[in-house]
Amino acid sequence: MIKTEKVLHLKSCRGRKVRVVREHYLRDRVPCCSALCLGDCANDGKLLPGDLTHYVVPDVGVVAKYLEILEFRELQGIIFTQTACQAVQHSKGRRQYNRLRNLLKDPRHDCVLFANEFQRYSYCPREKGESQERWQTRCVYSAAVWYYNHLAGMKDVVMITEDQDTITQYSSLNSGVYVISVQDYLQNFWVELHAAHELYSSISQALQEKENNGTEREYAEHLPAEVLEAGIKSGRYIQGSLQVNKHRAQMEASITPEGLTNNKDTGLSTEVLVCGSKNRNRAVHGDMVVVELLPKSEWKGKVTALTEGQGEERSGGDSESKPMPTAHVVGILQRNWRDYVVTFPPREGTQSQSRNSQRILAVPWDHRIPKIRISTQQADALQDYRVVVRIDSWESTSLYPNGHSVRVLGRAGELETEVQTILIENCIHVPPFSDAQLREMPVSSPEKPWRVDPAQVAERRDLRESHLVFSIDPLGCEDVDDALSVQSLAGGRLLELGVHIADVTHFVTEGALTDLEARARATTCYLADRRYDMLPAVLSADVCSLLGGVDRYAMSVMWELDSLTLSVSKVWYGRTIIRSSYQLHYELAQALLNGEQAEVPELAGLGSDERDAKLAQLVESLERLTHVARHLRAQRDQGGALELEGVEVRAQLDEQRNITALVPRQPLEVHETVAECMIYANHWVARKIQESFPHQALLRHHPPPRHEFFSQLVDSAKAKGFTIHTRSNKALADSLDQAVDPQDPLVNRLLRMMATQAMSQALYFSTGALAQDHYYHYGLALDRYTHFTSPIRRYADMVVHRLLIAAIDMEKGRGPGRALASNREVEEMAHHINNKNRAAQKAQKLSTELFQCLYFKERDPQTDPCCVADAVIYAIRDNGLLVFVPQYGVKGPVYMKNREGQVVTVGPDGSCEWQSGSVRRFADHITTTSSVGTSTFSLFGHITVRVSVQSSRWHADALNLEVISNKLHQTTEPPQTHSRGRSQLVQEVVRQAEEASQQAQERAARCPKLSKEEREFCQSKSPNLYSLLEEIRELALVDLETRAPVCASTA
């Protein structure tokens, strides 16, 4: 090791130049990360393949400006020098540097980092008077030469640069080390990689245009980082993520201050408003910004009127809410730019042109993003096409940000183009699984199906012959995560309940390529007409899927329950081998429970006696399972579990993937039965891993919502005469159970939808990051909860499986196979998974809306009866209503006043038409007044609407709802008869429990002391709800106006 000195020229916080001399140590051996190494380097981690034709060393300018091209997986053998990485860190900021670091860590990319400034023979001290740029170029070239010599000339090395002087100076110095431009490199080595050529051209044009920007300032300059930090610490400035209102994107945005408590002096609590593009000061939706409050005299309120038509906002004349803190952006801490989908408009004469390119203002698909100026030579050819672009910069002298195109998706309006747009807008990247990933997979084919390993049979608990195992899933489900079993033990004194989950982690080794890809995706993405799997199909649809009649590995949780009280006496966790006897779908399982005649495919080939015996055994298991699930649900209801409501609609497609119908989800009791068993397993696994690893377990919590978010729910219920208490989940659940209109069951459904809307998002977290009192799951009323039951489609479940296996091993005295992730690593993983889950949920919602529009797009709204439907008013606005259409699961605005000043008037027969007049809003209704008279539309009233599609060239199509009658729409379909709701049954159970408790007092007094098991599991044997549930067994728990007990947003 050789000691030398390194001189750094830095800037102080006050902007003064400071000369810093640091000790610098050089080594003879630094890892070269090449498979061809002959020098006995200490190479660990990624290695560059030895079968490539050459290695590539990009210089500082290429890494800083053309990193997107280097991210192509086709480009292999890339050596990033320490010099280039440090230059990116200092010149391009943390976001670009983290992107480079992630690229280097990703084993799917053949690129490595070379610490050239610590290698004795590649290090170049900076010469006196030498510019930093020339020194950096000399360092990179020296590293390229060192590589060529280190590998004994076995591999040519290509240095790529955009500096012509560098090419002239170094191109002929050393044979075997070539110095060429990026364009020449692509043309000579990657002729067929057209996407890289197009991206290079686009980036180059954007860089040229950036140099030609004007000098007239359009926005205020952002304050320096050190000033922003000082202002945040002093309280003068506030930081937060900018959220643009998609309905008023040009005029209204807000931030939620980070770490700010309510201040009575400033009135700050939850939101700070940012009005207008000038006050937004070049910040884009999602950026982490710093704002300064305006004087109170300039504070404004949010516009409360409906915005008619995107991009047609009016700056005045609309009513506003109470003035709230209003601010302007003074700086940006972090840009959160991503890929954006835009549409190129028809070229106008005013669009500027240069000799080789045209500057186009492209319109983003997302309303919240400003127009982006793109320089391209293909402006005419790309009209009406969706194009992926990236923002490069937004100078204070430009009204719009500058960017470059990345790739063309397709013509706007085509299904495949719109689906890909949804994925890109939500940062969902789902390329085909690579050959390297597929090579990690087990072999399974129709000719040679996968079979269990005899060694695993010896290590696992074998349930194939001893247990009747079955699965219940949606019809046609391929990725079967879970199966169930229930049987009687000890002569009927005990029940054994088993939840068996696909053992995915047996096939996916932690840190393998497949595991890294699954972690990056985090979840399977379900769209209306397709799904994008988190795992390769050989796992998700075959080897891991718990299909009927085949042996499979499982992770199981099995409880022994008292058959009378259903209290837990024993719980077992472990790896098993199962063979599912029946692969049921929900409708079939419900039909069997209802005693209806139904064909079970697995029994089709049996004789009548054997078939009847097996069918009776299956039905008995289903009934036992239902009894247990009812008990579990009643327990959670007593604890305050919420029965939430959401809008869930399935697009029914034909063989050509054309939409034929929109089908609202019909809840069945068996949905709740399966859900309760899964919730129970998730809860017990959460307890196990949290007790074993109190500082690094991955759990899921649901924070209590803020009370102000319940305002719409409370006010709407009050208008109907109901009182909603929100002090706790139990009080809220009881209030919602009482808020029932016997004449209109939709009222309770809408109130539950409002409650769902007010809920905060359920989130994954590391147990070491939060205090234990924050583990609570508000919606499910459980002290600990996690996700264990769907490892085929959720990466969080895979993490939990590994933690559970480690906990079992630790209990047996064995250490974990590899070091567990730290609290910080688990928390970072939880944050990533939370973001990916939100993106997948939003993509699923947008996909459903896309197919809703496709359903109505080909229909004539004036003549097609499918375009006329009943709607229920659930909110009042200044100039209209918000309604819910239960037939199609659609929510949207209905305008009472149009842009011409006309209002909706109602004729004697209830029909509506437009006439000149005025609108007046009240708390629970809205009135329109014209020459015809006054018309009233009340909260929770039924109206008839016409559904049509409002097409957009730039954005997604949207449904348009127009009121045509103030009366309930009469359909030809017979009214559905609804069984008694769960809330009514729970109230009856509670009433009977109170009566039974008086009769049980003497027996309770004579009860022996609690056993060890009863104390350990906090269960009591009597009095209990089981006998009461037995007495009301014949009462159906199906409530077609409510959905399954767990809303997707809170489970």
Side-chain angles (χ1 to χ4, degrees), residues 995-1005 1023:
E995 295 174 359
S997 64
Q998 296 178 359
Q999 302 172 7
Q1001 282 179 357
E1002 285 188 24
R1003 280 183 292 131

PDB file of all heavy atoms in Angstrom, residues 995-1005 1023:
ATOM      1  N   GLU A 995     -78.870 -12.460  26.936  1.00  0.00           N
ATOM      2  CA  GLU A 995     -79.875 -13.270  27.626  1.00  0.00           C
ATOM      3  C   GLU A 995     -79.260 -14.555  28.161  1.00  0.00           C
ATOM      4  O   GLU A 995     -79.542 -14.983  29.283  1.00  0.00           O
ATOM      5  CB  GLU A 995     -81.018 -13.606  26.664  1.00  0.00           C
ATOM      6  CG  GLU A 995     -81.797 -12.386  26.201  1.00  0.00           C
ATOM      7  CD  GLU A 995     -82.830 -12.735  25.136  1.00  0.00           C
ATOM      8  OE1 GLU A 995     -82.895 -13.936  24.762  1.00  0.00           O
ATOM      9  OE2 GLU A 995     -83.559 -11.834  24.691  1.00  0.00           O
ATOM     10  N   ALA A 996     -78.395 -15.164  27.346  1.00  0.00           N
ATOM     11  CA  ALA A 996     -77.790 -16.426  27.766  1.00  0.00           C
ATOM     12  C   ALA A 996     -76.823 -16.238  28.913  1.00  0.00           C
ATOM     13  O   ALA A 996     -76.606 -17.147  29.722  1.00  0.00           O
ATOM     14  CB  ALA A 996     -77.067 -17.073  26.587  1.00  0.00           C
ATOM     15  N   SER A 997     -76.214 -15.027  29.001  1.00  0.00           N
ATOM     16  CA  SER A 997     -75.209 -14.820  30.045  1.00  0.00           C
ATOM     17  C   SER A 997     -75.837 -14.890  31.443  1.00  0.00           C
ATOM     18  O   SER A 997     -75.206 -15.351  32.393  1.00  0.00           O
ATOM     19  CB  SER A 997     -74.520 -13.477  29.844  1.00  0.00           C
ATOM     20  OG  SER A 997     -75.439 -12.420  29.998  1.00  0.00           O
ATOM     21  N   GLN A 998     -77.116 -14.425  31.576  1.00  0.00           N
ATOM     22  CA  GLN A 998     -77.781 -14.489  32.872  1.00  0.00           C
ATOM     23  C   GLN A 998     -77.998 -15.942  33.292  1.00  0.00           C
ATOM     24  O   GLN A 998     -77.796 -16.308  34.444  1.00  0.00           O
ATOM     25  CB  GLN A 998     -79.115 -13.752  32.806  1.00  0.00           C
ATOM     26  CG  GLN A 998     -78.959 -12.262  32.536  1.00  0.00           C
ATOM     27  CD  GLN A 998     -80.296 -11.551  32.427  1.00  0.00           C
ATOM     28  OE1 GLN A 998     -81.353 -12.192  32.530  1.00  0.00           O
ATOM     29  NE2 GLN A 998     -80.258 -10.249  32.243  1.00  0.00           N
ATOM     30  N   GLN A 999     -78.414 -16.768  32.334  1.00  0.00           N
ATOM     31  CA  GLN A 999     -78.652 -18.174  32.634  1.00  0.00           C
ATOM     32  C   GLN A 999     -77.347 -18.904  32.932  1.00  0.00           C
ATOM     33  O   GLN A 999     -77.332 -19.921  33.616  1.00  0.00           O
ATOM     34  CB  GLN A 999     -79.355 -18.851  31.455  1.00  0.00           C
ATOM     35  CG  GLN A 999     -80.680 -18.202  31.084  1.00  0.00           C
ATOM     36  CD  GLN A 999     -81.239 -18.793  29.797  1.00  0.00           C
ATOM     37  OE1 GLN A 999     -80.695 -19.755  29.273  1.00  0.00           O
ATOM     38  NE2 GLN A 999     -82.330 -18.202  29.328  1.00  0.00           N
ATOM     39  N   ALA A1000     -76.230 -18.396  32.401  1.00  0.00           N
ATOM     40  CA  ALA A1000     -74.948 -19.097  32.548  1.00  0.00           C
ATOM     41  C   ALA A1000     -74.154 -18.634  33.757  1.00  0.00           C
ATOM     42  O   ALA A1000     -73.052 -19.118  33.982  1.00  0.00           O
ATOM     43  CB  ALA A1000     -74.109 -18.883  31.294  1.00  0.00           C
ATOM     44  N   GLN A1001     -74.728 -17.697  34.561  1.00  0.00           N
ATOM     45  CA  GLN A1001     -73.947 -17.151  35.670  1.00  0.00           C
ATOM     46  C   GLN A1001     -73.602 -18.211  36.710  1.00  0.00           C
ATOM     47  O   GLN A1001     -72.489 -18.258  37.223  1.00  0.00           O
ATOM     48  CB  GLN A1001     -74.696 -15.995  36.335  1.00  0.00           C
ATOM     49  CG  GLN A1001     -74.591 -14.686  35.544  1.00  0.00           C
ATOM     50  CD  GLN A1001     -75.341 -13.553  36.191  1.00  0.00           C
ATOM     51  OE1 GLN A1001     -75.997 -13.735  37.216  1.00  0.00           O
ATOM     52  NE2 GLN A1001     -75.247 -12.391  35.581  1.00  0.00           N
ATOM     53  N   GLU A1002     -74.584 -19.086  37.048  1.00  0.00           N
ATOM     54  CA  GLU A1002     -74.310 -20.118  38.041  1.00  0.00           C
ATOM     55  C   GLU A1002     -73.242 -21.074  37.543  1.00  0.00           C
ATOM     56  O   GLU A1002     -72.302 -21.405  38.259  1.00  0.00           O
ATOM     57  CB  GLU A1002     -75.602 -20.901  38.366  1.00  0.00           C
ATOM     58  CG  GLU A1002     -76.568 -20.127  39.233  1.00  0.00           C
ATOM     59  CD  GLU A1002     -77.723 -20.996  39.695  1.00  0.00           C
ATOM     60  OE1 GLU A1002     -77.551 -22.237  39.741  1.00  0.00           O
ATOM     61  OE2 GLU A1002     -78.769 -20.455  39.988  1.00  0.00           O
ATOM     62  N   ARG A1003     -73.370 -21.502  36.262  1.00  0.00           N
ATOM     63  CA  ARG A1003     -72.367 -22.408  35.698  1.00  0.00           C
ATOM     64  C   ARG A1003     -71.006 -21.735  35.643  1.00  0.00           C
ATOM     65  O   ARG A1003     -69.986 -22.358  35.878  1.00  0.00           O
ATOM     66  CB  ARG A1003     -72.778 -22.864  34.300  1.00  0.00           C
ATOM     67  CG  ARG A1003     -73.809 -23.971  34.317  1.00  0.00           C
ATOM     68  CD  ARG A1003     -74.120 -24.432  32.906  1.00  0.00           C
ATOM     69  NE  ARG A1003     -74.830 -23.377  32.179  1.00  0.00           N
ATOM     70  CZ  ARG A1003     -74.495 -22.959  30.968  1.00  0.00           C
ATOM     71  NH1 ARG A1003     -73.481 -23.491  30.348  1.00  0.00           N
ATOM     72  NH2 ARG A1003     -75.171 -22.006  30.372  1.00  0.00           N
ATOM     73  N   ALA A1004     -70.998 -20.441  35.319  1.00  0.00           N
ATOM     74  CA  ALA A1004     -69.726 -19.723  35.232  1.00  0.00           C
ATOM     75  C   ALA A1004     -69.046 -19.646  36.594  1.00  0.00           C
ATOM     76  O   ALA A1004     -67.828 -19.702  36.704  1.00  0.00           O
ATOM     77  CB  ALA A1004     -69.945 -18.316  34.683  1.00  0.00           C
ATOM     78  N   ALA A1005     -69.859 -19.519  37.651  1.00  0.00           N
ATOM     79  CA  ALA A1005     -69.282 -19.436  38.986  1.00  0.00           C
ATOM     80  C   ALA A1005     -68.633 -20.756  39.393  1.00  0.00           C
ATOM     81  O   ALA A1005     -67.673 -20.791  40.159  1.00  0.00           O
ATOM     82  CB  ALA A1005     -70.355 -19.044  40.007  1.00  0.00           C
ATOM     83  N   PRO A1023     -69.137 -18.402  28.955  1.00  0.00           N
ATOM     84  CA  PRO A1023     -70.098 -18.599  27.846  1.00  0.00           C
ATOM     85  C   PRO A1023     -69.461 -18.292  26.491  1.00  0.00           C
ATOM     86  O   PRO A1023     -68.463 -17.600  26.436  1.00  0.00           O
ATOM     87  CB  PRO A1023     -71.203 -17.597  28.158  1.00  0.00           C
ATOM     88  CG  PRO A1023     -70.495 -16.524  28.930  1.00  0.00           C
ATOM     89  CD  PRO A1023     -69.432 -17.225  29.749  1.00  0.00           C
TER      90      PRO A1023
END
